Amino acid sequence: MPPTTLLPFTTPSTSRKSVNNSSVLINRPAFRLTEKFLLLLVFSGFITLCFGAIFFLPDSSKLLSGVFFHSQQTSISGNGPKLDILSDGREFEGDKLSKIREDHEKALREAKDTLQKLPEEIKQDIKEEKEKVAQDSVNKKEGAPRLPNVVFRKPVGATGREPTDPETRERQAKIKEMMKHAWENYKRHAWGSNELKPLSKQRHSSNLFGNIQGATIVDALDTLYIMGMHDEFKDAKEWIEKNLDFNVHAEISVFEVNIRFVGGLLSAYYLTGEEVFRTKAVELGEKLLPAFNTPTGIPWALLNIKSGIGRNWPWASGGSSILAEFGTLHLEFMHLSQLSGNPVFAEKMMNIRKVLNRLDKPQGLYPNYLNPNSGQWGQHHVSVGGLGDSFYEYLLKAWLMSDKTDEEAQKMYYDAVQAFETHLIRKSNGGLKYIAEWKGGLLEHKMGHLTCFAGGMFALGADGAPEERSGHHMELAAEIARTCHESYDRTATKLGPEAFRFDGGVEAIATRQNEKYYILRPEVIEAYMYMWRLTHDPKYRQWGWEAVQALEKTCRVAAGYSGIRDVYSSQPTHDDVQQSFFLAETLKYLYLLFSDDDLLPLDHWVFNTEAHPLPIIRKDSRAVEKETE
Ligand code: DMJ
């Protein structure tokens, strides 16, 4: 059968031959009515198309296109001026036309020059335009908040120079190589999941993030950026744009999601000015708000971000919320208010303050547990390590981040340190200072790896210490850093245990099997970094380098880095998890330890508890400024 549908105007018998025959119409039988109608339809369509082209093609395209600018050079004789007729039918006097041609060529030349030179302002204009387009497309996505325009201020020290000293330069390059190894293997084996299992080369999911994915990507963003790993950063950003989704049915840890995801996104925004990070941070912040729907406003530890239903950890004393969790939202939430123009985030934080300040504190100490329904303390356990740690860190940093205007936080921090000195800080027979845990008035002479962050905190707070106690705070910081170094130095692997004790004849050594592990934690290196920055004593770089060598020897495996089960074993087994904080914190603090002080300088940035840098909010500036109308 001939393809009659393709050749509707031919009779079946003549169709094939006629198609390629120029005389087809002469030999044809007369058209039927329907054929005539269809022919008319096609013809009128063609006419419409031609008119459309004439009227709707933009003028600029005609000016810039040589084809459209070809005049027919038809001279119309007569008494009037000589006329040229353009291909679109318009008539011009000949000399006017050559003037237009000249102007046009000049404009083209200028445009070309401009493009070649691309001065800073033009680059800036293009960047801003691109950002606006990106913001518009982000805003159109489901769940994306509508945000006011902000004045993005150029970040100070977001990228650094290579250190001039060759040894430091080499060491810094080594840390970057470690980051590449961790990142590339995550990308190869677990891309898009929360973490990597570096031995089984599989994806690792932790229930801390519910169904939210991509913890390693968000946590690593700023480390990639400051290390100048541009391609990797681009991949991470693209993944975030396309895949980071908070519309999931999942119960998450409010604290963990805040410090890693909100903190990571905020830092990425402040380092780059890319709108997608601001939008995602605020979107996630809004999802966390239902956690504060408790009688006191002290948030739940766990929240289903779809249903908005919250609860506390089943193991927490009498249904309590945890001090280190609800007390470690402040820095991120203050910035969320800055960037969204919505005061609700800051209000939630000030309410937590109010609740805490109304309560009596046993011996001036803050118990780790607080019931969000009654507003009363749970068990009287106090710790500067797990369950308490970053609450104190955020008091100091709230003061620093507010450009030292938040004097309430300042007082709370220095009063707390005073109480630690009286009730928790002790010296071992061997002369090691440590911070013990307090259980209802009794001391447990144990210090956690987590507690070692306090070395850095005391150093950072030394400068503002009241009554000329600055030197004292710095000494305390140095002693805690030394004790933590000892906890590393006294192991076979030269990596420190999860907790170490000062009783039963031991000092700075773990005695219980379940305290001997090391999961790539950053706190000891964090303390070295602050001590280096604030004293420039070379021993802190030396101690940091020892940690690098130990990590390389014991934790590096073919497909990434893994924690170990026993730091005292010379052949420890691996736990098969590359924690996202290894990329966010451990490697970042190591890199900063081997960088000059102008990379993320401490008088411009504060690090959240996951090492995500947030800028100090200057008292004389408002970050959010409504667009002038
Ligand atoms: C990190 O997620 C943060 O530093 C947190 O404050 C405590 N623990 C881990 C790393 O050890």
Side-chain angles (χ1 to χ4, degrees):
M1 279 286 285
T4 48
T5 48
L6 290 176
L7 302 164
F9 302 129
T10 57
T11 60
S13 57
T14 57
S15 63
R16 289 187 180 200
K17 201 169 155 207
S18 310
V19 165
N20 293 324
N21 190 336
S22 57
S23 64
V24 64
L25 290 177
I26 298 167
N27 301 327
R28 244 173 216 283
F31 288 121
R32 287 200 302 263
L33 193 64
T34 43
E35 290 169 338
K36 279 183 193 163
F37 176 72
L38 282 169
L39 192 59
L40 191 69
L41 207 66
V42 169
F43 186 65
S44 57
F46 177 68
I47 297 291
T48 314
L49 202 69
C50 294
F51 270 94
I54 290 165
F55 287 107
F56 298 116
L57 275 182
D59 263 8
S60 57
S61 69
K62 290 170 193 167
L63 282 173
L64 291 172
S65 148
V67 175
F68 275 88
F69 209 77
H70 259 328
S71 76
Q72 290 175 359
Q73 297 287 330
T74 309
S75 290
I76 300 174
S77 41
N79 295 333
K82 193 175 151 217
L83 291 180
D84 280 355
I85 302 173
L86 300 185
S87 60
D88 66 354
R90 286 179 297 156
E91 295 175 348
F92 282 84
E93 289 172 33
D95 41 357
K96 274 194 192 156
L97 181 61
S98 55
K99 172 87 174 61
I100 290 173
R101 235 188 239 127
E102 251 171 53
D103 289 350
H104 167 65
E105 276 159 16
K106 194 169 156 226
L108 278 177
R109 270 198 310 277
E110 281 173 7
K112 208 171 145 206
D113 285 356
T114 313
L115 280 173
Q116 269 165 1
K117 281 187 216 141
L118 272 187
E120 277 314 305
E121 310 107 72
I122 294 185
K123 276 192 197 153
Q124 189 55 27
D125 286 354
I126 294 172
K127 191 166 174 263
E128 275 166 21
E129 191 52 37
K130 270 192 191 160
E131 278 167 15
K132 204 165 166 293
V133 172
Q135 172 63 40
D136 288 348
S137 78
V138 169
N139 277 348
K140 274 182 210 136
K141 291 199 181 141
E142 195 206 341
R146 290 191 62 79
L147 297 179
N149 287 341
V150 294
V151 177
F152 177 70
R153 296 176 202 285
K154 198 169 173 285
V156 178
T159 50
R161 293 159 301 170
E162 278 197 331
T164 37
D165 162 48
E167 185 185 73
T168 311
R169 201 165 53 234
E170 218 175 274
R171 291 181 173 185
Q172 191 199 57
K174 174 65 196 167
I175 315 296
K176 185 168 169 180
E177 186 278 325
M178 292 168 76
M179 181 70 183
K180 271 189 190 286
H181 183 65
W183 175 261
E184 277 166 12
N185 280 293
Y186 165 75
K187 194 167 172 215
R188 189 166 309 131
H189 304 295
W191 185 239
S193 69
N194 283 323
E195 287 167 328
L196 162 71
K197 283 159 104 61
L199 275 103
S200 32
K201 300 183 184 162
Q202 280 172 2
R203 306 155 72 89
H204 175 68
S205 281
S206 147
N207 55 7
L208 298 174
F209 315 117
N211 290 338
I212 301 179
Q213 294 296 309
T216 295
I217 297 178
V218 181
D219 233 4
L221 274 174
D222 48 15
T223 310
L224 294 172
Y225 191 83
I226 64 161
M227 289 186 181
M229 294 172 63
H230 304 300
D231 292 344
E232 291 84 350
F233 182 84
K234 200 167 144 259
D235 291 343
K237 186 188 147 202
E238 265 171 35
W239 186 89
I240 287 168
E241 276 165 343
K242 292 189 194 139
N243 303 295
L244 184 59
D245 184 12
F246 306 129
N247 294 307
V248 289
H249 199 74
E251 191 178 59
I252 50 110
S253 153
V254 174
F255 160 77
E256 294 289 353
V257 165
N258 176 59
I259 64 170
R260 302 194 203 203
F261 282 87
V262 178
L265 291 165
L266 286 173
S267 281
Y269 172 70
Y270 282 116
L271 291 170
T272 65
E274 302 271 9
E275 277 300 326
V276 60
F277 300 128
R278 178 169 74 121
T279 310
K280 290 276 181 194
V282 177
E283 183 189 344
L284 181 53
E286 286 174 357
K287 293 255 175 211
L288 299 182
L289 288 174
F292 295 82
N293 295 338
T294 64
T296 55
I298 295 293
W300 301 113
L302 300 166
L303 176 73
N304 185 314
I305 54 172
K306 192 85 168 184
S307 66
I309 295 173
R311 66 180 177 116
N312 274 337
W313 296 106
W315 48 261
S317 153
S320 289
S321 301
I322 306 292
L323 183 70
E325 296 197 328
F326 66 78
T328 310
L329 305 167
H330 191 101
L331 303 184
E332 297 81 0
F333 274 52
M334 296 312 270
H335 271 291
L336 286 176
S337 277
Q338 279 287 308
L339 293 183
S340 64
N342 184 351
V344 69
F345 301 103
E347 285 163 9
K348 301 286 180 202
M349 294 304 102
M350 295 335 282
N351 178 60
I352 293 178
R353 276 275 179 85
K354 216 160 80 196
V355 173
L356 285 173
N357 281 329
R358 268 204 307 253
L359 283 166
D360 279 339
K361 280 154 271 309
Q363 317 284 350
L365 298 166
Y366 293 82
N368 294 334
Y369 302 102
L370 178 60
N371 189 303
N373 292 316
S374 65
Q376 297 303 313
W377 299 119
Q379 272 174 317
H380 284 198
H381 287 184
V382 176
S383 168
V384 185
L387 308 186
D389 49 6
S390 41
F391 162 69
Y392 306 102
E393 175 185 357
Y394 272 35
L395 288 179
L396 171 64
K397 291 179 176 176
W399 176 56
L400 296 175
M401 199 181 82
S402 70
D403 206 5
K404 301 191 177 172
T405 57
D406 185 351
E407 288 168 6
E408 186 178 48
Q410 175 192 21
K411 180 166 173 13
M412 288 167 82
Y413 170 72
Y414 289 105
D415 286 353
V417 176
Q418 186 62 55
F420 300 161
E421 295 213 65
T422 315
H423 302 288
L424 308 180
I425 298 180
R426 296 287 179 268
K427 200 171 219 166
S428 71
N429 292 336
L432 294 177
K433 230 173 212 183
Y434 61 95
I435 311 176
E437 311 246 313
W438 194 81
K439 304 245 160 105
L442 293 176
L443 280 190
E444 189 178 6
H445 297 269
K446 153 185 140 175
M447 186 166 163
H449 191 288
L450 290 167
T451 321
C452 289
F453 90 97
M457 178 176 75
F458 294 147
L460 186 64
D463 199 29
E467 294 157 20
E468 295 172 2
R469 284 174 63 83
S470 168
H472 172 73
H473 279 241
M474 196 48 108
E475 272 164 36
L476 183 58
E479 291 196 79
I480 297 300
R482 180 164 84 94
T483 300
C484 292
H485 175 252
E486 285 301 316
S487 78
Y488 273 48
D489 206 42
R490 296 175 185 200
T491 69
T493 55
K494 303 292 173 200
L495 294 164
E498 179 66 4
F500 42 93
R501 293 184 177 259
F502 298 84
D503 54 15
V506 300
E507 296 196 358
I509 287 181
T511 50
R512 305 185 184 182
Q513 197 52 40
N514 65 0
E515 293 173 349
K516 293 183 178 171
Y517 62 88
Y518 171 69
I519 56 167
L520 306 172
R521 286 198 190 277
E523 291 76 16
V524 175
I525 289 162
E526 175 182 352
Y528 298 161
M529 191 284 290
Y530 281 107
M531 290 307 294
W532 163 257
R533 280 271 172 112
L534 297 162
T535 67
H536 288 148
D537 183 334
K539 80 169 172 244
Y540 297 111
R541 277 191 165 164
Q542 191 45 42
W543 291 353
W545 189 244
E546 285 168 15
V548 168
Q549 289 171 312
L551 283 166
E552 285 300 271
K553 183 163 176 237
T554 309
C555 299
R556 187 175 180 132
V557 294
Y561 289 86
S562 168
I564 54 172
R565 295 188 202 283
D566 185 351
V567 291
Y568 299 98
S569 158
S570 48
Q571 301 268 297
T573 51
H574 292 107
D575 67 7
D576 200 13
V577 182
Q578 179 175 283
Q579 305 279 348
S580 77
F581 55 66
F582 181 65
L583 292 89
E585 297 190 73
T586 312
L587 292 176
K588 186 186 286 122
Y589 285 135
L590 279 171
Y591 190 78
L592 292 173
L593 180 61
F594 294 105
S595 297
D596 290 345
D597 296 354
D598 58 2
L599 179 60
L600 300 177
L602 297 180
D603 52 351
H604 283 271
W605 300 90
V606 292
F607 292 89
N608 88 339
T609 195
E610 189 79 1
H612 296 306
L614 299 171
I616 288 174
I617 302 170
R618 298 290 171 203
K619 35 182 173 252
D620 53 358
S621 76
R622 280 172 53 227
V624 175
E625 287 167 28
K626 292 242 163 72
E627 198 173 28
T628 41
E629 287 166 305

